[in-house]
Coordinates of all heavy atoms in Angstrom, one line a residue:
M1 N 64.4 -4.4 -64.1 CA 63.7 -3.4 -63.3 C 63.4 -2.2 -64.1 O 62.3 -1.6 -63.9 CB 64.6 -3.0 -62.0 CG 64.0 -2.1 -61.1 SD 62.7 -3.0 -60.2 CE 62.3 -1.8 -59.0
R2 N 64.3 -1.8 -64.9 CA 64.1 -0.6 -65.7 C 62.9 -0.8 -66.7 O 62.1 0.1 -66.9 CB 65.4 -0.3 -66.4 CG 65.6 1.0 -66.8 CD 67.0 1.2 -67.4 NE 67.3 2.6 -67.4 CZ 68.3 3.1 -68.0 NH1 69.2 2.3 -68.5 NH2 68.5 4.4 -67.9
K3 N 62.9 -2.0 -67.3 CA 61.8 -2.3 -68.2 C 60.5 -2.3 -67.6 O 59.5 -1.9 -68.2 CB 62.1 -3.7 -68.8 CG 63.3 -3.7 -69.8 CD 63.4 -5.1 -70.4 CE 64.6 -5.1 -71.3 NZ 64.8 -6.4 -71.9
I4 N 60.4 -2.8 -66.3 CA 59.1 -2.8 -65.6 C 58.7 -1.3 -65.3 O 57.5 -1.0 -65.5 CB 59.2 -3.6 -64.3 CG1 59.5 -5.0 -64.6 CG2 58.0 -3.4 -63.4 CD1 59.8 -5.9 -63.3
I5 N 59.6 -0.5 -65.0 CA 59.2 0.9 -64.7 C 58.8 1.6 -66.0 O 57.8 2.3 -66.0 CB 60.4 1.7 -64.1 CG1 60.7 1.1 -62.7 CG2 60.1 3.2 -64.0 CD1 61.9 1.7 -62.0
I6 N 59.5 1.3 -67.1 CA 59.1 1.9 -68.4 C 57.8 1.4 -68.8 O 56.9 2.1 -69.3 CB 60.2 1.6 -69.5 CG1 61.5 2.4 -69.1 CG2 59.7 2.0 -70.8 CD1 62.7 2.1 -70.0
A7 N 57.5 0.1 -68.7 CA 56.2 -0.5 -69.1 C 55.1 0.1 -68.2 O 54.0 0.4 -68.7 CB 56.3 -2.0 -68.9
A8 N 55.3 0.3 -66.9 CA 54.3 0.8 -66.0 C 54.0 2.3 -66.4 O 52.9 2.7 -66.4 CB 54.8 0.8 -64.6
A9 N 55.1 3.0 -66.7 CA 54.9 4.4 -67.1 C 54.1 4.5 -68.5 O 53.3 5.3 -68.6 CB 56.2 5.1 -67.3
F10 N 54.5 3.6 -69.4 CA 53.8 3.6 -70.7 C 52.3 3.2 -70.5 O 51.4 3.8 -71.1 CB 54.5 2.5 -71.6 CG 53.9 2.4 -72.9 CD1 54.1 3.4 -73.9 CD2 53.0 1.4 -73.3 CE1 53.5 3.4 -75.1 CE2 52.4 1.3 -74.5 CZ 52.7 2.3 -75.4
A11 N 52.0 2.2 -69.6 CA 50.6 1.8 -69.3 C 49.9 3.0 -68.7 O 48.7 3.2 -69.1 CB 50.6 0.6 -68.4
A12 N 50.5 3.7 -67.8 CA 49.8 4.8 -67.1 C 49.5 5.9 -68.1 O 48.4 6.5 -68.1 CB 50.7 5.3 -66.0
G13 N 50.5 6.2 -69.0 CA 50.3 7.2 -70.1 C 49.2 6.8 -71.0 O 48.3 7.6 -71.4
A14 N 49.1 5.5 -71.4 CA 48.1 5.0 -72.3 C 46.7 5.1 -71.6 O 45.7 5.5 -72.3 CB 48.3 3.6 -72.7
L15 N 46.6 4.8 -70.3 CA 45.3 4.9 -69.6 C 44.9 6.4 -69.5 O 43.7 6.7 -69.7 CB 45.4 4.3 -68.2 CG 45.4 2.8 -68.2 CD1 45.6 2.3 -66.8 CD2 44.2 2.2 -68.8
S16 N 45.8 7.3 -69.3 CA 45.5 8.7 -69.2 C 45.0 9.2 -70.5 O 44.1 10.0 -70.6 CB 46.8 9.5 -68.7 OG 47.1 9.1 -67.5
L17 N 45.7 8.8 -71.6 CA 45.3 9.2 -72.9 C 43.9 8.7 -73.3 O 43.1 9.4 -73.9 CB 46.3 8.7 -74.0 CG 46.1 9.2 -75.4 CD1 46.1 10.7 -75.5 CD2 47.2 8.5 -76.3
A18 N 43.6 7.5 -72.9 CA 42.3 6.9 -73.2 C 41.2 7.6 -72.4 O 40.2 7.9 -73.0 CB 42.3 5.4 -72.8
A19 N 41.5 8.0 -71.2 CA 40.5 8.7 -70.4 C 40.3 10.1 -71.0 O 39.2 10.6 -71.1 CB 41.0 8.8 -68.9
C20 N 41.4 10.8 -71.3 CA 41.3 12.1 -71.9 C 40.5 12.0 -73.3 O 39.7 12.9 -73.6 CB 42.7 12.6 -72.2 SG 42.7 14.3 -72.9
S21 N 40.8 11.0 -74.0 CA 40.1 10.8 -75.3 C 38.6 10.7 -75.1 O 37.8 11.2 -75.9 CB 40.7 9.6 -76.0 OG 40.1 9.5 -77.3
Q22 N 38.2 9.9 -74.1 CA 36.8 9.7 -73.8 C 36.1 11.1 -73.4 O 35.0 11.4 -73.9 CB 36.6 8.7 -72.7 CG 35.1 8.4 -72.4 CD 34.4 7.8 -73.7 OE1 34.9 7.0 -74.4 NE2 33.2 8.3 -73.9
K23 N 36.8 11.8 -72.6 CA 36.3 13.1 -72.2 C 36.1 14.1 -73.4 O 35.1 14.8 -73.5 CB 37.2 13.8 -71.1 CG 37.1 13.2 -69.8 CD 38.1 13.9 -68.8 CE 38.1 13.2 -67.5 NZ 39.1 13.8 -66.6
T24 N 37.1 14.0 -74.3 CA 37.1 14.9 -75.5 C 35.9 14.4 -76.4 O 35.2 15.3 -76.9 CB 38.4 14.8 -76.2 OG1 39.5 15.2 -75.4 CG2 38.4 15.6 -77.5
E25 N 35.8 13.1 -76.5 CA 34.7 12.6 -77.3 C 33.3 13.1 -76.7 O 32.4 13.5 -77.5 CB 34.7 11.1 -77.4 CG 33.7 10.5 -78.3 CD 33.9 9.0 -78.4 OE1 35.0 8.5 -78.4 OE2 32.8 8.3 -78.5
N26 N 33.2 13.0 -75.4 CA 31.9 13.4 -74.8 C 31.6 14.9 -75.0 O 30.5 15.3 -75.3 CB 31.9 13.1 -73.3 CG 31.9 11.6 -73.0 OD1 31.5 10.8 -73.9 ND2 32.2 11.2 -71.8
K27 N 32.7 15.7 -74.8 CA 32.5 17.1 -75.0 C 32.2 17.5 -76.5 O 31.4 18.4 -76.7 CB 33.7 17.9 -74.5 CG 33.9 17.8 -73.0 CD 34.5 19.0 -72.5 CE 34.7 18.9 -71.0 NZ 33.8 19.6 -70.2
T28 N 32.8 16.8 -77.4 CA 32.6 17.0 -78.8 C 31.1 16.6 -79.1 O 30.5 17.4 -79.8 CB 33.5 16.2 -79.7 OG1 34.9 16.5 -79.3 CG2 33.3 16.4 -81.1
G29 N 30.7 15.5 -78.6 CA 29.3 15.1 -78.8 C 28.3 16.2 -78.3 O 27.3 16.5 -78.9
E30 N 28.6 16.7 -77.1 CA 27.7 17.7 -76.5 C 27.7 19.0 -77.3 O 26.7 19.6 -77.5 CB 28.2 18.0 -75.1 CG 28.0 16.9 -74.1 CD 28.7 17.1 -72.7 OE1 29.2 18.2 -72.5 OE2 28.6 16.2 -71.9
A31 N 28.9 19.3 -77.8 CA 29.0 20.5 -78.7 C 28.2 20.3 -80.0 O 27.5 21.3 -80.4 CB 30.5 20.9 -79.0
M32 N 28.3 19.2 -80.5 CA 27.5 18.9 -81.8 C 26.0 18.9 -81.5 O 25.3 19.5 -82.3 CB 27.9 17.5 -82.3 CG 29.3 17.4 -82.9 SD 29.6 18.5 -84.3 CE 28.7 17.7 -85.5
D33 N 25.6 18.4 -80.4 CA 24.2 18.4 -80.0 C 23.7 19.9 -79.8 O 22.6 20.2 -80.3 CB 23.9 17.6 -78.7 CG 24.1 16.1 -78.9 OD1 24.1 15.7 -80.1 OD2 24.2 15.4 -77.9
S34 N 24.5 20.7 -79.2 CA 24.2 22.1 -79.0 C 24.1 22.8 -80.3 O 23.2 23.6 -80.5 CB 25.2 22.7 -78.1 OG 24.9 24.1 -77.9
A35 N 25.1 22.6 -81.2 CA 25.1 23.2 -82.5 C 23.9 22.8 -83.3 O 23.2 23.6 -84.0 CB 26.4 22.9 -83.2
A36 N 23.5 21.6 -83.2 CA 22.3 21.1 -83.9 C 21.0 21.8 -83.4 O 20.1 22.1 -84.2 CB 22.2 19.6 -83.9
A37 N 20.9 21.9 -82.1 CA 19.8 22.5 -81.5 C 19.7 24.0 -81.9 O 18.6 24.5 -82.2 CB 19.8 22.4 -80.0
D38 N 20.9 24.7 -81.9 CA 20.9 26.1 -82.3 C 20.5 26.2 -83.8 O 19.8 27.1 -84.2 CB 22.3 26.7 -82.2 CG 22.7 26.9 -80.7 OD1 21.8 26.8 -79.8 OD2 23.9 27.1 -80.4
A39 N 21.0 25.3 -84.7 CA 20.6 25.4 -86.1 C 19.1 25.2 -86.3 O 18.5 25.8 -87.1 CB 21.5 24.3 -86.9
S40 N 18.6 24.3 -85.5 CA 17.1 24.0 -85.6 C 16.3 25.2 -85.2 O 15.4 25.6 -85.8 CB 16.8 22.8 -84.8 OG 15.4 22.5 -84.8
A41 N 16.8 25.8 -84.1 CA 16.1 27.0 -83.6 C 16.2 28.2 -84.6 O 15.2 28.9 -84.8 CB 16.6 27.5 -82.2
N42 N 17.3 28.3 -85.2 CA 17.5 29.4 -86.2 C 16.7 29.1 -87.4 O 16.1 30.0 -88.0 CB 19.0 29.5 -86.6 CG 19.8 30.1 -85.4 OD1 19.3 30.8 -84.6 ND2 21.1 29.9 -85.5
A43 N 16.6 27.9 -87.8 CA 15.8 27.5 -89.0 C 14.3 27.8 -88.7 O 13.6 28.3 -89.6 CB 16.0 26.0 -89.4
D44 N 13.9 27.5 -87.5 CA 12.5 27.8 -87.1 C 12.2 29.3 -87.2 O 11.2 29.7 -87.7 CB 12.1 27.2 -85.8 CG 12.1 25.7 -85.7 OD1 11.9 25.1 -86.8 OD2 12.1 25.2 -84.6
A45 N 13.1 30.1 -86.7 CA 13.0 31.5 -86.7 C 13.0 32.1 -88.1 O 12.2 33.0 -88.4 CB 14.1 32.2 -85.9
V46 N 13.8 31.6 -88.9 CA 13.8 32.0 -90.3 C 12.5 31.7 -91.0 O 11.9 32.5 -91.7 CB 15.0 31.4 -91.1 CG1 14.9 31.6 -92.6 CG2 16.3 32.0 -90.6
G47 N 12.0 30.5 -90.8 CA 10.8 30.1 -91.4 C 9.6 31.0 -90.9 O 8.8 31.4 -91.7
E48 N 9.6 31.3 -89.7 CA 8.6 32.2 -89.2 C 8.7 33.6 -89.8 O 7.7 34.2 -90.2 CB 8.7 32.3 -87.6 CG 7.6 33.1 -87.0 CD 7.6 33.1 -85.5 OE1 7.9 32.0 -84.9 OE2 7.4 34.2 -84.9
N49 N 9.9 34.1 -89.9 CA 10.1 35.4 -90.6 C 9.7 35.4 -92.0 O 9.1 36.4 -92.5 CB 11.6 35.8 -90.4 CG 11.9 36.3 -89.0 OD1 11.1 36.6 -88.2 ND2 13.2 36.3 -88.7
V50 N 9.9 34.3 -92.7 CA 9.5 34.2 -94.1 C 8.0 34.2 -94.2 O 7.4 34.8 -95.1 CB 10.1 32.9 -94.8 CG1 9.5 32.6 -96.1 CG2 11.6 33.1 -95.0
D51 N 7.4 33.4 -93.3 CA 5.9 33.4 -93.3 C 5.3 34.8 -93.1 O 4.4 35.2 -93.7 CB 5.4 32.5 -92.2 CG 5.6 31.0 -92.6 OD1 5.8 30.7 -93.8 OD2 5.4 30.2 -91.7
N52 N 5.9 35.5 -92.1 CA 5.4 36.9 -91.8 C 5.7 37.8 -93.0 O 4.8 38.6 -93.3 CB 6.2 37.4 -90.5 CG 5.7 36.7 -89.3 OD1 4.7 36.0 -89.2 ND2 6.6 36.8 -88.2
A53 N 6.8 37.7 -93.6 CA 7.1 38.6 -94.8 C 6.1 38.2 -95.9 O 5.6 39.2 -96.6 CB 8.5 38.4 -95.2
A54 N 5.8 37.0 -96.2 CA 4.9 36.6 -97.2 C 3.5 37.1 -96.9 O 2.8 37.6 -97.8 CB 4.8 35.1 -97.4
T55 N 3.1 37.1 -95.7 CA 1.8 37.6 -95.3 C 1.7 39.1 -95.5 O 0.7 39.7 -96.0 CB 1.5 37.3 -93.8 OG1 1.4 35.9 -93.7 CG2 0.1 37.9 -93.4
A56 N 2.8 39.8 -95.1 CA 2.9 41.3 -95.3 C 2.8 41.6 -96.7 O 2.2 42.6 -97.2 CB 4.1 41.8 -94.6
A57 N 3.6 40.9 -97.6 CA 3.6 41.2 -99.0 C 2.2 40.9 -99.6 O 1.7 41.7 -100.4 CB 4.6 40.3 -99.7
G58 N 1.5 39.9 -99.2 CA 0.2 39.6 -99.7 C -0.8 40.8 -99.3 O -1.6 41.2 -100.1
D59 N -0.7 41.2 -98.1 CA -1.5 42.3 -97.6 C -1.2 43.6 -98.4 O -2.2 44.3 -98.8 CB -1.3 42.6 -96.1 CG -1.8 41.5 -95.2 OD1 -2.6 40.7 -95.7 OD2 -1.4 41.5 -94.0
A60 N 0.0 43.9 -98.7 CA 0.4 45.0 -99.5 C -0.2 45.0 -100.9 O -0.6 45.9 -101.5 CB 1.9 45.2 -99.5
V61 N -0.1 43.8 -101.5 CA -0.6 43.6 -102.9 C -2.2 43.8 -102.9 O -2.7 44.5 -103.7 CB -0.3 42.2 -103.4 CG1 -1.1 41.9 -104.7 CG2 1.2 42.1 -103.7
N62 N -2.8 43.3 -101.8 CA -4.3 43.4 -101.7 C -4.6 44.9 -101.6 O -5.5 45.4 -102.2 CB -4.8 42.6 -100.6 CG -6.3 42.6 -100.5 OD1 -7.0 42.4 -101.5 ND2 -6.9 42.9 -99.3
T63 N -3.9 45.6 -100.7 CA -4.1 47.1 -100.5 C -3.9 47.8 -101.8 O -4.7 48.7 -102.2 CB -3.2 47.6 -99.4 OG1 -3.5 46.9 -98.2 CG2 -3.4 49.1 -99.2
A64 N -2.9 47.5 -102.6 CA -2.6 48.2 -103.8 C -3.7 47.9 -104.9 O -4.1 48.8 -105.6 CB -1.2 47.7 -104.4
A65 N -4.2 46.7 -104.9 CA -5.3 46.3 -105.8 C -6.5 47.1 -105.5 O -7.2 47.6 -106.4 CB -5.5 44.8 -105.8
V66 N -6.9 47.2 -104.3 CA -8.1 48.0 -103.9 C -7.9 49.4 -104.2 O -8.8 50.0 -104.8 CB -8.3 47.8 -102.3 CG1 -9.4 48.8 -101.9 CG2 -8.8 46.4 -102.0
A67 N -6.7 50.0 -104.0 CA -6.5 51.4 -104.4 C -6.5 51.6 -105.9 O -7.1 52.6 -106.3 CB -5.1 51.8 -103.8
A68 N -6.0 50.6 -106.6 CA -6.1 50.7 -108.1 C -7.5 50.7 -108.6 O -7.9 51.4 -109.5 CB -5.2 49.6 -108.7
T69 N -8.3 49.8 -108.0 CA -9.7 49.7 -108.4 C -10.5 51.0 -108.1 O -11.3 51.5 -108.9 CB -10.4 48.5 -107.7 OG1 -9.6 47.3 -108.1 CG2 -11.8 48.3 -108.1
D70 N -10.2 51.5 -106.9 CA -10.8 52.8 -106.5 C -10.4 53.9 -107.5 O -11.3 54.7 -107.9 CB -10.5 53.2 -105.1 CG -11.2 52.3 -104.0 OD1 -12.1 51.5 -104.4 OD2 -10.7 52.3 -102.9
A71 N -9.2 53.9 -107.8 CA -8.7 55.0 -108.8 C -9.3 54.8 -110.1 O -9.7 55.8 -110.8 CB -7.2 54.9 -108.9
K72 N -9.4 53.6 -110.6 CA -10.1 53.3 -111.9 C -11.5 53.8 -111.9 O -12.0 54.4 -112.8 CB -10.0 51.9 -112.3 CG -10.7 51.5 -113.6 CD -11.2 50.1 -113.7 CE -12.3 49.7 -112.9 NZ -13.6 49.7 -113.3
N73 N -12.2 53.4 -110.8 CA -13.6 53.8 -110.7 C -13.8 55.3 -110.6 O -14.7 55.9 -111.2 CB -14.3 53.1 -109.5 CG -14.4 51.6 -109.6 OD1 -14.5 51.1 -110.8 ND2 -14.5 50.9 -108.5
A74 N -12.9 56.0 -109.9 CA -13.0 57.5 -109.8 C -12.7 58.1 -111.2 O -13.4 59.0 -111.6 CB -12.0 58.0 -108.8
A75 N -11.8 57.6 -111.9 CA -11.5 58.1 -113.2 C -12.6 57.9 -114.2 O -13.0 58.8 -115.0 CB -10.2 57.5 -113.8
E76 N -13.2 56.7 -114.1 CA -14.3 56.4 -115.0 C -15.5 57.3 -114.7 O -16.2 57.8 -115.6 CB -14.7 54.9 -114.9 CG -15.9 54.5 -115.8 CD -16.2 53.0 -115.6 OE1 -15.4 52.2 -115.2 OE2 -17.4 52.7 -115.9
A77 N -15.8 57.5 -113.4 CA -16.9 58.3 -112.9 C -16.7 59.7 -113.4 O -17.6 60.4 -113.9 CB -17.0 58.3 -111.4
D78 N -15.5 60.3 -113.3 CA -15.2 61.6 -113.8 C -15.4 61.7 -115.3 O -15.9 62.7 -115.8 CB -13.8 62.1 -113.4 CG -13.6 62.4 -112.0 OD1 -14.7 62.6 -111.3 OD2 -12.5 62.5 -111.5
L79 N -14.9 60.7 -116.0 CA -14.9 60.7 -117.5 C -16.4 60.6 -118.0 O -16.7 61.3 -119.0 CB -14.1 59.6 -118.0 CG -13.9 59.5 -119.5 CD1 -13.2 60.7 -120.1 CD2 -13.2 58.2 -119.9
Q80 N -17.2 59.8 -117.4 CA -18.5 59.6 -117.9 C -19.6 60.4 -117.1 O -20.8 60.3 -117.4 CB -18.9 58.1 -117.8 CG -18.0 57.3 -118.7 CD -18.3 55.8 -118.7 OE1 -19.2 55.4 -118.0 NE2 -17.6 55.0 -119.4
G81 N -19.1 61.2 -116.2 CA -20.1 62.1 -115.4 C -21.1 61.3 -114.6 O -22.2 61.6 -114.5
E82 N -20.6 60.2 -114.0 CA -21.5 59.4 -113.1 C -20.9 59.2 -111.7 O -19.8 59.7 -111.5 CB -21.7 58.0 -113.8 CG -20.4 57.2 -114.0 CD -20.6 56.0 -114.9 OE1 -21.7 55.8 -115.4 OE2 -19.7 55.2 -114.9
S83 N -21.6 58.6 -110.9 CA -21.1 58.4 -109.5 C -20.0 57.2 -109.5 O -20.0 56.4 -110.4 CB -22.2 58.0 -108.6 OG -22.7 56.7 -108.9
K84 N -19.2 57.2 -108.4 CA -18.2 56.2 -108.3 C -18.9 54.8 -108.2 O -18.4 53.8 -108.7 CB -17.3 56.4 -107.1 CG -16.3 57.5 -107.3 CD -15.5 57.6 -106.1 CE -14.5 58.8 -106.1 NZ -13.7 59.0 -104.9
A85 N -20.1 54.8 -107.5 CA -20.8 53.5 -107.3 C -21.3 53.0 -108.6 O -21.2 51.8 -108.9 CB -22.0 53.7 -106.4
K86 N -21.8 53.9 -109.5 CA -22.2 53.4 -110.8 C -21.0 53.0 -111.7 O -21.1 52.0 -112.4 CB -23.0 54.5 -111.5 CG -23.6 54.1 -112.9 CD -24.7 55.0 -113.3 CE -25.2 54.8 -114.6 NZ -25.5 53.8 -115.4
A87 N -19.9 53.7 -111.6 CA -18.7 53.3 -112.3 C -18.2 51.9 -111.8 O -17.8 51.1 -112.7 CB -17.7 54.4 -112.2
A88 N -18.3 51.7 -110.6 CA -17.9 50.4 -110.0 C -18.8 49.3 -110.5 O -18.4 48.1 -110.7 CB -17.8 50.5 -108.5
A89 N -20.1 49.6 -110.6 CA -21.1 48.6 -111.0 C -20.9 48.2 -112.5 O -21.3 47.1 -112.9 CB -22.5 49.1 -110.8
D90 N -20.4 49.1 -113.3 CA -20.2 48.8 -114.8 C -19.3 47.7 -115.0 O -18.3 47.4 -114.9 CB -19.7 50.1 -115.5 CG -20.8 51.2 -115.5 OD1 -22.0 50.9 -115.2 OD2 -20.5 52.3 -115.9

């Protein structure tokens, strides 16, 4: 009788452990899916920020180039006693 009770208790414990293990596995899978989705969203945001920074840097370089050209033309015009338009055309 004692062996039957011990075997029944052991079987009940094993079933409980198996059910708990399945729930844990499901929750772990859900957590992994959520983490993957978060990582993907963060990667997209970083990519967008890099694109925006590259565009801003390109715009700044272009603005600096235009300013440098204008300054060169103004200096040449002053040095040669001509208009900025003529200096730019040279």
Side-chain angles (χ1 to χ4, degrees):
M1 181 75 169
R2 206 172 197 191
K3 289 181 182 180
I4 294 174
I5 292 173
I6 292 173
F10 182 76
L15 288 175
S16 296
L17 184 59
C20 180
S21 180
Q22 183 61 42
K23 287 180 186 176
T24 302
E25 185 177 323
N26 289 344
K27 292 213 182 253
T28 301
E30 290 170 7
M32 292 296 288
D33 291 343
S34 178
D38 289 347
S40 178
N42 289 338
D44 289 344
V46 167
E48 186 175 319
N49 287 339
V50 168
D51 287 345
N52 291 342
T55 299
D59 291 345
V61 168
N62 187 46
T63 299
V66 168
T69 301
D70 288 346
K72 179 208 65 99
N73 291 337
E76 182 181 336
D78 286 344
L79 185 64
Q80 296 182 1
E82 60 188 10
S83 70
K84 288 182 186 178
K86 185 163 175 30
D90 291 348

